């Protein structure tokens, strides 16, 4: 079964609380999402392997630790996932970026694929899938499946707010994928929105509602 991690650092929780507030505007929402993603990035990269390389300081030679050749791809689920990309790129500036376009059918609540563009060597990379909301888990499960069909076998999922239903869905369909979130909320409502949640992340991010 996949590992499930709640990043409960005080700064993450403080910023998330501001994002949840319905009076927080798009500008602050965008900035906070990027900041939280950077903070969560420290957790999702915690186990990156290290190697020692000899360098020379102004004082003397020494053995210094560097990340050991970890190739990374960041794959946002459009459109809300775009708001998390810069926060990770600030930590992983050489990461390649793919895009998977999914939207939720308002009648069936099922994800519909409309776009997929990935780095050519995606199968050689640790892939971090980013999407602020893990609600039913449908979009995340479909995105992960698309990546696996392209040869990816090292995938992690980073989200801001998760519902228990979504976590269970990902763990059932993709038990090898580790999930990182800032909060596990109570449940989904009848329209499959997370409660208490923070509303539609895409609309709040881009000011479209």
């Amino acid at each position: 079964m996949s590992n499930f991690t709640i990043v409960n650092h005080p700064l993450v929780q403080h910023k998330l609380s501001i994002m949840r507030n319905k009076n927080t505007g798009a500008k602050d929402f965008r900035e906070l999402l990027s900041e939280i993603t950077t903070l969560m990035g420290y957790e999702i990269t915690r186990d990156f392997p290290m190697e020692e390389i000899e360098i020379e300081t102004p004082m003397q030679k020494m053995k210094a630790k560097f990340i050991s050749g970890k190739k990374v791809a960041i794959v946002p689920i459009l459109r809300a996932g775009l708001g998390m990309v810069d926060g990770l790129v600030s930590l992983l500036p050489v990461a390649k970026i793919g895009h998977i376009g999914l939207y939720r059918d308002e009648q069936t609540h099922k994800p519909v694929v409309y776009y997929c563009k990935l780095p050519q060597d995606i199968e050689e990379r640790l892939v971090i899938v980013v999407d602020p909301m893990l609600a039913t888990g449908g979009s995340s499960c479909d995105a992960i499946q698309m990546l696996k069909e392209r040869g990816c076998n090292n995938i992690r999922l980073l989200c801001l707010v998760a519902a228990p239903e979504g976590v269970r869905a990902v763990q059932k369909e993709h038990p090898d994928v580790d999930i990182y979130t800032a909060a596990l909320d109570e449940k989904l409502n009848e329209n499959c929105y997370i409660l208490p949640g923070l509303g539609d992340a895409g609309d709040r991010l881009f000011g479209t509602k």
Side-chain angles (χ1 to χ4, degrees), residues 2-28:
S2 60
N3 289 322
F4 176 70
T5 301
I6 297 176
V7 182
N8 57 7
H9 190 283
L11 286 174
V12 171
Q13 297 304 315
H14 174 82
K15 292 175 185 292
L16 176 58
S17 295
I18 300 172
M19 289 184 70
R20 288 187 190 270
N21 190 322
K22 67 179 183 179
N23 296 318
T24 297
K27 175 183 179 294
D28 290 336

Side-chain angles (χ1 to χ4, degrees), residues 100-158:
I100 294 178
L102 296 165
Y103 70 88
R104 187 176 71 164
D105 185 288
E106 293 300 327
Q107 303 301 318
T108 65
H109 306 304
K110 300 290 186 181
V112 179
V113 180
Y114 65 89
Y115 186 77
C116 182
K117 183 74 171 180
L118 301 169
Q120 287 189 337
D121 63 347
I122 189 77
E123 74 281 355
E124 301 173 10
R125 295 175 175 270
L126 163 64
V127 182
I128 303 175
V129 178
V130 294
D131 192 359
M133 313 301 286
L134 179 58
T136 65
S139 294
S140 295
C141 286
D142 282 8
I144 292 166
Q145 185 59 39
M146 292 168 69
L147 290 164
K148 287 183 174 180
E149 289 170 359
R150 287 160 175 78
C152 301
N153 56 21
N154 190 0
I155 303 170
R156 299 178 185 182
L157 175 62
L158 179 63

